[in-house]
Amino acid sequence: VVTVIGGAAEALQATPGRLELQLTRRKGFVRQALMHGASLVPVIGFGENDIWDVLQSGTLIAAQSRLQKLMGFAMPVFFGRGIFSYGF
């Protein structure tokens, strides 16, 4: 099982060249793991923010923030390199 700790807040704030983790208010998963005897293996990925550019439109950010507060998640609008962008 994989848990993405930063969630939508971290995805919506992704900026190329910068890695900012959202961990301050997200510690309940440690308590749950301890209660259920689950192992935690900390893993971090580097470079995802450099692959995709997140659109930073004011109207779009406001709509995504409302969706995040209402439903607990928000789909970031992104564009960038993909698997088929390379010449093999």
Coordinates of all heavy atoms in Angstrom, one line a residue:
V1 N 0.9 -1.2 0.0 CA 0.0 0.0 0.0 C 0.9 1.2 0.0 O 1.8 1.3 0.8 CB -0.9 0.0 1.3 CG1 -1.7 1.3 1.3 CG2 -1.8 -1.2 1.3
V2 N 0.6 2.2 -0.8 CA 1.3 3.4 -0.9 C 0.4 4.6 -0.4 O -0.7 4.7 -0.8 CB 1.8 3.7 -2.4 CG1 2.4 5.1 -2.5 CG2 2.7 2.6 -2.9
T3 N 1.0 5.4 0.4 CA 0.2 6.6 0.9 C 1.0 7.8 0.5 O 2.2 7.9 0.8 CB 0.2 6.5 2.5 OG1 -0.5 5.3 2.9 CG2 -0.6 7.7 3.0
V4 N 0.3 8.7 -0.2 CA 0.9 9.9 -0.7 C 0.6 11.0 0.4 O -0.6 11.4 0.5 CB 0.4 10.4 -2.0 CG1 1.0 11.7 -2.5 CG2 0.7 9.3 -3.1
I5 N 1.5 11.3 1.2 CA 1.3 12.1 2.4 C 0.9 13.5 2.1 O -0.1 14.1 2.6 CB 2.6 12.2 3.3 CG1 3.1 10.8 3.6 CG2 2.3 12.9 4.6 CD1 2.1 9.8 4.2
G6 N 1.5 14.2 1.1 CA 1.2 15.5 0.7 C -0.1 15.7 0.1 O -0.8 16.8 0.2
G7 N -0.6 14.7 -0.6 CA -1.9 14.8 -1.2 C -2.1 15.9 -2.2 O -1.2 16.3 -2.9
A8 N -3.4 16.3 -2.3 CA -3.7 17.4 -3.3 C -3.0 18.7 -3.0 O -2.6 19.4 -4.0 CB -5.2 17.6 -3.3
A9 N -2.8 19.0 -1.8 CA -2.1 20.3 -1.4 C -0.7 20.3 -2.0 O -0.3 21.3 -2.6 CB -2.1 20.5 0.1
E10 N 0.0 19.2 -1.9 CA 1.3 19.1 -2.5 C 1.3 19.1 -4.0 O 2.1 19.8 -4.6 CB 2.0 17.9 -2.0 CG 3.5 17.9 -2.1 CD 4.1 16.7 -1.3 OE1 4.2 16.8 -0.1 OE2 4.4 15.7 -1.9
A11 N 0.3 18.5 -4.6 CA 0.2 18.4 -6.1 C -0.1 19.8 -6.6 O 0.4 20.1 -7.7 CB -0.8 17.4 -6.5
L12 N -1.0 20.5 -6.0 CA -1.4 21.8 -6.5 C -0.3 22.9 -6.4 O -0.3 23.9 -7.1 CB -2.6 22.3 -5.8 CG -3.9 21.5 -6.1 CD1 -5.1 22.0 -5.3 CD2 -4.2 21.5 -7.6
Q13 N 0.7 22.6 -5.5 CA 1.8 23.6 -5.3 C 3.1 23.2 -6.0 O 4.1 23.8 -5.7 CB 2.0 23.8 -3.8 CG 0.8 24.5 -3.1 CD 1.0 24.6 -1.6 OE1 2.0 24.2 -1.1 NE2 0.1 25.2 -1.0
A14 N 3.0 22.2 -6.8 CA 4.2 21.8 -7.5 C 4.8 22.9 -8.4 O 4.0 23.4 -9.2 CB 3.9 20.5 -8.3
T15 N 6.1 23.1 -8.3 CA 6.7 24.1 -9.1 C 8.0 23.6 -9.6 O 8.8 23.0 -8.8 CB 7.0 25.4 -8.3 OG1 5.8 25.8 -7.7 CG2 7.6 26.5 -9.1
P16 N 8.3 23.7 -10.9 CA 9.6 23.2 -11.4 C 10.8 23.8 -10.7 O 10.8 25.0 -10.4 CB 9.6 23.6 -12.9 CG 8.2 23.7 -13.2 CD 7.5 24.2 -12.0
G17 N 11.8 23.0 -10.3 CA 13.0 23.4 -9.6 C 12.8 23.5 -8.1 O 13.8 24.0 -7.5
R18 N 11.7 23.2 -7.6 CA 11.5 23.3 -6.2 C 10.7 22.1 -5.6 O 9.8 21.6 -6.2 CB 10.6 24.6 -6.0 CG 10.6 25.0 -4.6 CD 9.9 26.4 -4.5 NE 8.9 26.3 -3.5 CZ 7.9 27.2 -3.4 NH1 7.9 28.3 -4.2 NH2 7.0 27.1 -2.5
L19 N 11.1 21.6 -4.5 CA 10.5 20.5 -3.8 C 10.0 20.9 -2.5 O 10.8 21.3 -1.6 CB 11.4 19.3 -3.7 CG 10.9 18.1 -2.9 CD1 9.7 17.5 -3.7 CD2 12.0 17.0 -2.8
E20 N 8.7 21.1 -2.3 CA 8.1 21.5 -1.0 C 7.2 20.4 -0.5 O 6.2 20.1 -1.1 CB 7.4 22.8 -1.2 CG 6.8 23.4 0.1 CD 6.2 24.8 -0.2 OE1 6.7 25.5 -1.1 OE2 5.2 25.1 0.5
L21 N 7.5 19.9 0.7 CA 6.7 18.8 1.2 C 5.6 19.4 2.2 O 5.9 20.3 2.9 CB 7.6 17.8 2.0 CG 8.6 17.1 1.2 CD1 9.5 16.3 2.0 CD2 8.1 16.3 0.0
Q22 N 4.4 18.8 2.2 CA 3.3 19.1 3.1 C 3.2 18.1 4.1 O 2.5 17.1 4.0 CB 2.0 19.2 2.3 CG 2.1 20.2 1.1 CD 2.1 21.6 1.6 OE1 1.5 22.0 2.6 NE2 2.9 22.4 0.9
L23 N 4.0 18.2 5.2 CA 4.0 17.2 6.3 C 3.5 17.7 7.6 O 3.2 16.9 8.5 CB 5.4 16.7 6.5 CG 6.0 16.0 5.3 CD1 7.5 15.6 5.6 CD2 5.3 14.8 4.9
T24 N 3.3 19.0 7.8 CA 3.1 19.6 9.1 C 1.8 19.0 9.7 O 1.8 18.7 10.9 CB 2.9 21.1 9.0 OG1 4.1 21.6 8.3 CG2 2.8 21.8 10.3
R25 N 0.7 19.0 9.0 CA -0.6 18.6 9.5 C -1.0 17.1 9.1 O -2.1 16.8 9.2 CB -1.7 19.5 9.1 CG -1.4 20.9 9.6 CD -2.4 21.9 9.0 NE -3.8 21.5 9.2 CZ -4.8 21.9 8.4 NH1 -4.6 22.8 7.5 NH2 -6.0 21.4 8.6
R26 N 0.0 16.3 8.7 CA -0.3 15.0 8.2 C 0.5 13.9 8.9 O 1.3 13.3 8.3 CB 0.1 15.0 6.7 CG -0.6 16.2 6.0 CD -0.9 15.8 4.6 NE -1.4 17.0 3.9 CZ -2.6 16.9 3.3 NH1 -3.3 15.8 3.3 NH2 -3.0 18.0 2.7
K27 N 0.2 13.8 10.2 CA 1.0 12.8 11.0 C 0.1 11.6 11.4 O 0.6 10.7 12.1 CB 1.6 13.5 12.2 CG 2.5 14.5 11.8 CD 3.1 15.3 13.0 CE 3.9 16.5 12.5 NZ 3.9 17.5 13.5
G28 N -1.2 11.6 11.1 CA -2.1 10.6 11.6 C -1.7 9.2 11.0 O -2.0 8.2 11.6
F29 N -1.1 9.1 9.8 CA -0.8 7.9 9.2 C 0.3 7.1 10.0 O 0.3 5.9 10.1 CB -0.2 8.1 7.8 CG 1.1 8.7 7.7 CD1 2.3 7.9 7.5 CD2 1.2 10.1 7.7 CE1 3.5 8.5 7.4 CE2 2.5 10.7 7.6 CZ 3.6 9.9 7.5
V30 N 1.1 7.9 10.8 CA 2.1 7.2 11.6 C 1.4 6.5 12.8 O 1.7 5.4 13.2 CB 3.2 8.2 12.2 CG1 4.1 7.6 13.1 CG2 3.9 8.8 11.0
R31 N 0.5 7.2 13.4 CA -0.3 6.7 14.5 C -1.1 5.4 14.0 O -1.1 4.4 14.7 CB -1.3 7.7 15.0 CG -2.1 7.2 16.2 CD -3.1 8.3 16.8 NE -2.8 9.7 16.4 CZ -3.5 10.4 15.5 NH1 -4.5 9.8 14.9 NH2 -3.2 11.6 15.3
Q32 N -1.7 5.5 12.9 CA -2.4 4.3 12.3 C -1.5 3.1 12.1 O -1.8 2.0 12.4 CB -3.1 4.7 11.0 CG -4.3 5.6 11.2 CD -5.4 5.0 12.0 OE1 -5.7 3.8 11.8 NE2 -6.0 5.8 12.9
A33 N -0.3 3.4 11.6 CA 0.6 2.3 11.3 C 1.1 1.7 12.6 O 1.2 0.4 12.7 CB 1.9 2.8 10.5
L34 N 1.3 2.5 13.6 CA 1.7 1.9 14.9 C 0.6 1.1 15.6 O 0.8 0.0 16.1 CB 2.1 3.1 15.9 CG 3.5 3.8 15.5 CD1 3.6 5.0 16.4 CD2 4.6 2.8 15.7
M35 N -0.6 1.6 15.4 CA -1.8 0.9 16.0 C -2.0 -0.5 15.4 O -2.4 -1.4 16.0 CB -3.0 1.7 15.9 CG -3.1 2.9 16.9 SD -4.5 4.0 16.6 CE -5.8 2.9 16.4
H36 N -1.7 -0.6 14.1 CA -2.0 -1.8 13.3 C -0.8 -2.6 13.0 O -0.8 -3.6 12.3 CB -2.7 -1.4 12.0 CG -4.0 -0.8 12.3 ND1 -5.2 -1.5 12.7 CD2 -4.4 0.5 12.2 CE1 -6.2 -0.7 12.8 NE2 -5.8 0.5 12.5
G37 N 0.4 -2.2 13.6 CA 1.6 -3.0 13.4 C 2.2 -3.0 12.0 O 2.9 -3.9 11.6
A38 N 1.8 -2.0 11.2 CA 2.3 -1.9 9.8 C 3.7 -1.2 9.8 O 4.0 -0.4 10.6 CB 1.3 -1.1 9.0
S39 N 4.5 -1.6 8.9 CA 5.8 -1.1 8.7 C 5.7 0.2 7.8 O 4.9 0.3 6.9 CB 6.7 -2.0 8.0 OG 6.9 -3.2 8.8
L40 N 6.5 1.2 8.1 CA 6.6 2.4 7.3 C 8.0 2.4 6.7 O 9.0 2.3 7.4 CB 6.4 3.6 8.2 CG 5.0 3.9 8.8 CD1 5.0 5.1 9.7 CD2 4.0 4.1 7.7
V41 N 8.0 2.6 5.4 CA 9.2 2.7 4.6 C 9.3 4.1 4.0 O 8.5 4.3 3.0 CB 9.4 1.6 3.6 CG1 10.7 1.7 2.8 CG2 9.2 0.2 4.2
P42 N 10.0 5.0 4.5 CA 10.0 6.4 3.9 C 10.7 6.4 2.5 O 11.8 5.8 2.4 CB 10.8 7.2 4.9 CG 11.6 6.2 5.7 CD 10.9 4.9 5.7
V43 N 10.0 6.9 1.5 CA 10.6 7.0 0.2 C 10.2 8.4 -0.4 O 9.2 8.9 -0.1 CB 9.9 5.9 -0.7 CG1 10.4 6.0 -2.2 CG2 10.2 4.5 -0.2
I44 N 11.2 9.0 -1.1 CA 10.9 10.2 -1.7 C 11.4 10.2 -3.2 O 12.4 9.6 -3.5 CB 11.6 11.4 -0.9 CG1 11.2 12.7 -1.5 CG2 13.1 11.3 -1.0 CD1 11.5 13.9 -0.6
G45 N 10.6 10.8 -4.0 CA 10.9 10.8 -5.4 C 11.4 12.2 -5.8 O 10.9 13.2 -5.3
F46 N 12.4 12.2 -6.6 CA 13.0 13.5 -7.0 C 12.8 13.8 -8.5 O 12.9 12.8 -9.3 CB 14.5 13.5 -6.7 CG 14.9 13.5 -5.3 CD1 15.2 12.3 -4.7 CD2 14.9 14.6 -4.5 CE1 15.5 12.2 -3.3 CE2 15.2 14.6 -3.2 CZ 15.5 13.4 -2.6
G47 N 12.5 15.0 -8.9 CA 12.4 15.3 -10.3 C 11.0 15.4 -10.8 O 10.8 15.8 -12.0
E48 N 10.0 14.9 -10.1 CA 8.6 15.0 -10.7 C 8.2 16.4 -11.0 O 7.5 16.6 -12.0 CB 7.6 14.3 -9.7 CG 7.7 12.9 -9.6 CD 8.7 12.5 -8.5 OE1 9.3 13.4 -7.9 OE2 8.8 11.3 -8.2
N49 N 8.6 17.3 -10.2 CA 8.2 18.7 -10.4 C 8.8 19.3 -11.6 O 8.4 20.3 -12.1 CB 8.5 19.6 -9.2 CG 7.7 19.2 -8.0 OD1 6.7 18.4 -8.1 ND2 8.0 19.8 -6.8
D50 N 9.9 18.7 -12.1 CA 10.6 19.2 -13.2 C 10.1 18.6 -14.5 O 10.4 19.2 -15.6 CB 12.1 18.9 -13.1 CG 12.8 19.6 -11.9 OD1 12.3 20.8 -11.6 OD2 13.7 19.1 -11.3
I51 N 9.4 17.6 -14.4 CA 8.8 16.9 -15.6 C 7.5 17.6 -16.1 O 7.3 17.8 -17.3 CB 8.5 15.4 -15.4 CG1 9.9 14.7 -15.1 CG2 7.8 14.8 -16.6 CD1 9.7 13.3 -14.7
W52 N 6.7 18.0 -15.1 CA 5.4 18.6 -15.5 C 5.3 20.0 -15.0 O 5.8 20.4 -14.0 CB 4.3 17.8 -14.7 CG 4.3 16.4 -15.0 CD1 4.8 15.4 -14.1 CD2 3.9 15.7 -16.2 NE1 4.6 14.2 -14.7 CE2 4.1 14.3 -16.0 CE3 3.3 16.1 -17.4 CZ2 3.8 13.4 -16.9 CZ3 3.0 15.2 -18.3 CH2 3.2 13.8 -18.1
D53 N 4.7 20.8 -15.8 CA 4.4 22.2 -15.5 C 2.9 22.3 -15.1 O 2.1 21.9 -15.8 CB 4.7 23.2 -16.7 CG 6.1 23.3 -17.0 OD1 6.9 23.2 -16.1 OD2 6.5 23.5 -18.2
V54 N 2.7 22.9 -13.9 CA 1.3 23.0 -13.4 C 0.8 24.4 -13.8 O 1.5 25.4 -13.6 CB 1.2 22.9 -11.9 CG1 -0.2 23.1 -11.4 CG2 1.7 21.5 -11.5
L55 N -0.4 24.5 -14.4 CA -0.9 25.8 -14.8 C -1.2 26.6 -13.6 O -1.8 26.1 -12.6 CB -2.2 25.6 -15.6 CG -2.1 24.9 -17.0 CD1 -3.5 24.7 -17.6 CD2 -1.2 25.6 -17.9
Q56 N -0.8 27.8 -13.6 CA -0.9 28.7 -12.4 C -2.0 29.8 -12.7 O -1.7 31.0 -12.2 CB 0.4 29.3 -12.1 CG 1.5 28.3 -11.7 CD 1.2 27.5 -10.4 OE1 0.5 28.1 -9.6 NE2 1.6 26.3 -10.3
S57 N -3.1 29.6 -13.3 CA -4.1 30.6 -13.5 C -4.9 30.8 -12.2 O -5.2 29.9 -11.5 CB -5.1 30.0 -14.6 OG -6.3 30.8 -14.6
G58 N -5.1 32.1 -11.9 CA -5.8 32.4 -10.7 C -7.2 31.8 -10.5 O -7.6 31.3 -9.5
T59 N -8.0 31.8 -11.6 CA -9.3 31.2 -11.6 C -9.2 29.7 -11.4 O -10.0 29.2 -10.7 CB -10.0 31.6 -12.9 OG1 -10.0 33.0 -13.1 CG2 -11.5 31.1 -12.9
L60 N -8.3 29.1 -12.1 CA -8.1 27.7 -12.0 C -7.7 27.2 -10.6 O -8.2 26.3 -10.1 CB -7.1 27.2 -13.1 CG -6.9 25.7 -13.2 CD1 -8.2 25.0 -13.5 CD2 -5.8 25.4 -14.2
I61 N -6.8 28.0 -10.0 CA -6.3 27.6 -8.7 C -7.5 27.8 -7.7 O -7.6 26.9 -6.8 CB -5.1 28.5 -8.3 CG1 -3.9 28.1 -9.1 CG2 -4.8 28.4 -6.8 CD1 -2.7 29.0 -8.9
A62 N -8.3 28.8 -7.8 CA -9.4 29.0 -6.9 C -10.4 27.8 -7.0 O -10.9 27.3 -6.0 CB -10.1 30.3 -7.2
A63 N -10.7 27.4 -8.3 CA -11.6 26.3 -8.5 C -11.0 25.0 -7.9 O -11.7 24.2 -7.2 CB -11.9 26.1 -9.9
Q64 N -9.7 24.7 -8.1 CA -9.1 23.5 -7.6 C -9.1 23.6 -6.0 O -9.3 22.5 -5.4 CB -7.6 23.4 -8.1 CG -7.6 23.0 -9.6 CD -6.2 23.1 -10.1 OE1 -5.4 23.9 -9.7 NE2 -5.9 22.1 -10.9
S65 N -8.8 24.7 -5.4 CA -8.8 24.8 -4.0 C -10.2 24.6 -3.4 O -10.3 23.9 -2.4 CB -8.3 26.2 -3.5 OG -7.0 26.4 -3.9
R66 N -11.2 25.1 -4.1 CA -12.6 24.8 -3.6 C -12.9 23.3 -3.7 O -13.5 22.7 -2.8 CB -13.6 25.6 -4.4 CG -13.9 26.9 -3.8 CD -15.1 27.6 -4.4 NE -14.5 28.7 -5.2 CZ -14.5 28.9 -6.5 NH1 -15.2 28.0 -7.3 NH2 -13.9 29.9 -7.1
L67 N -12.5 22.7 -4.8 CA -12.7 21.2 -5.0 C -12.0 20.4 -3.9 O -12.5 19.5 -3.4 CB -12.3 20.8 -6.4 CG -12.5 19.4 -6.7 CD1 -14.0 19.0 -6.7 CD2 -11.9 19.0 -8.1
Q68 N -10.8 20.9 -3.6 CA -10.0 20.2 -2.6 C -10.6 20.2 -1.3 O -10.7 19.2 -0.5 CB -8.6 20.8 -2.6 CG -7.7 20.1 -1.5 CD -6.4 20.9 -1.3 OE1 -6.1 21.8 -2.0 NE2 -5.6 20.5 -0.3
K69 N -11.1 21.4 -0.9 CA -11.8 21.6 0.4 C -13.1 20.8 0.5 O -13.4 20.2 1.5 CB -12.0 23.0 0.7 CG -10.7 23.8 1.0 CD -11.0 25.3 1.2 CE -9.6 25.9 1.4 NZ -9.7 27.4 1.4
L70 N -13.8 20.8 -0.6 CA -15.1 20.1 -0.6 C -15.0 18.6 -0.6 O -15.7 17.9 0.1 CB -15.9 20.6 -1.9 CG -17.3 20.0 -2.1 CD1 -18.2 20.4 -1.0 CD2 -17.8 20.3 -3.4
M71 N -14.1 18.0 -1.5 CA -14.0 16.6 -1.7 C -12.7 15.9 -1.1 O -12.6 14.7 -1.1 CB -14.1 16.3 -3.2 CG -15.3 16.8 -3.8 SD -15.5 16.4 -5.5 CE -15.8 14.7 -5.4
G72 N -11.8 16.7 -0.7 CA -10.6 16.2 -0.1 C -9.5 15.9 -1.2 O -8.4 15.5 -0.8
F73 N -9.8 16.1 -2.4 CA -8.7 16.0 -3.5 C -9.0 17.0 -4.6 O -10.1 17.5 -4.7 CB -8.7 14.5 -4.0 CG -10.0 14.2 -4.8 CD1 -10.0 14.4 -6.2 CD2 -11.1 13.7 -4.2 CE1 -11.1 14.1 -6.9 CE2 -12.2 13.4 -4.9 CZ -12.2 13.6 -6.3
A74 N -8.0 17.2 -5.4 CA -8.2 18.1 -6.6 C -7.2 17.6 -7.7 O -6.1 17.3 -7.4 CB -7.9 19.5 -6.2
M75 N -7.7 17.5 -8.8 CA -6.9 17.1 -10.0 C -6.1 18.3 -10.5 O -6.7 19.3 -10.9 CB -7.8 16.6 -11.1 CG -7.1 16.1 -12.3 SD -6.1 14.6 -11.9 CE -5.2 14.4 -13.4
P76 N -4.8 18.2 -10.4 CA -4.0 19.3 -11.0 C -4.0 19.3 -12.5 O -4.1 18.2 -13.1 CB -2.6 19.1 -10.5 CG -2.5 17.6 -10.1 CD -3.9 17.2 -9.8
V77 N -4.0 20.4 -13.1 CA -4.0 20.5 -14.6 C -2.5 20.7 -14.9 O -1.9 21.7 -14.5 CB -4.8 21.7 -15.1 CG1 -4.7 21.9 -16.6 CG2 -6.3 21.5 -14.6
F78 N -1.9 19.8 -15.6 CA -0.5 19.8 -15.9 C -0.2 19.5 -17.4 O -1.1 19.0 -18.1 CB 0.3 18.9 -15.0 CG -0.2 17.4 -15.1 CD1 0.3 16.6 -16.1 CD2 -1.2 17.0 -14.3 CE1 -0.1 15.3 -16.2 CE2 -1.6 15.7 -14.4 CZ -1.1 14.8 -15.3
F79 N 1.0 19.9 -17.8 CA 1.4 19.5 -19.2 C 2.9 19.4 -19.1 O 3.6 19.9 -18.2 CB 1.0 20.6 -20.2 CG 1.5 22.0 -19.9 CD1 2.7 22.4 -20.4 CD2 0.9 22.8 -19.0 CE1 3.2 23.6 -20.1 CE2 1.4 24.0 -18.7 CZ 2.6 24.5 -19.2
G80 N 3.5 18.7 -20.1 CA 5.0 18.5 -20.1 C 5.4 17.3 -20.9 O 4.6 16.8 -21.7
R81 N 6.6 16.8 -20.6 CA 7.1 15.6 -21.3 C 6.3 14.4 -20.9 O 5.9 14.2 -19.8 CB 8.6 15.4 -20.9 CG 9.4 16.5 -21.4 CD 10.9 16.2 -21.3 NE 11.2 15.7 -19.9 CZ 12.1 16.2 -19.2 NH1 12.9 17.1 -19.6 NH2 12.4 15.7 -18.0
G82 N 6.3 13.5 -21.9 CA 5.6 12.2 -21.6 C 6.5 11.1 -22.2 O 7.6 11.3 -22.8
I83 N 6.0 9.9 -22.1 CA 6.8 8.7 -22.6 C 7.0 8.8 -24.1 O 8.0 8.3 -24.6 CB 6.2 7.4 -22.1 CG1 7.1 6.2 -22.4 CG2 4.8 7.2 -22.8 CD1 6.7 4.9 -21.8
F84 N 6.1 9.4 -24.8 CA 6.2 9.4 -26.3 C 6.8 10.6 -26.8 O 6.9 10.9 -28.0 CB 4.8 9.2 -26.9 CG 4.1 7.9 -26.4 CD1 3.0 7.9 -25.6 CD2 4.6 6.7 -26.9 CE1 2.4 6.7 -25.2 CE2 4.1 5.5 -26.5 CZ 3.0 5.5 -25.7
S85 N 7.4 11.5 -25.9 CA 8.0 12.7 -26.3 C 9.5 12.5 -26.8 O 10.1 13.4 -27.3 CB 8.0 13.7 -25.2 OG 6.7 14.1 -24.9
Y86 N 10.0 11.3 -26.6 CA 11.4 11.1 -26.9 C 11.5 10.3 -28.2 O 10.7 9.5 -28.5 CB 12.0 10.2 -25.8 CG 11.9 10.9 -24.4 CD1 11.0 10.5 -23.5 CD2 12.8 11.9 -24.1 CE1 10.9 11.2 -22.3 CE2 12.7 12.6 -22.9 CZ 11.8 12.2 -22.0 OH 11.7 12.8 -20.8
G87 N 12.6 10.5 -28.9 CA 12.9 9.7 -30.1 C 13.7 8.5 -29.7 O 14.8 8.6 -29.2
F88 N 13.2 7.3 -30.0 CA 13.8 6.1 -29.6 C 14.8 5.6 -30.7 O 14.7 5.4 -31.7 CB 12.8 5.0 -29.3 CG 12.0 5.3 -28.1 CD1 10.7 5.7 -28.3 CD2 12.5 5.2 -26.9 CE1 9.9 6.0 -27.2 CE2 11.7 5.5 -25.7 CZ 10.4 5.9 -25.9

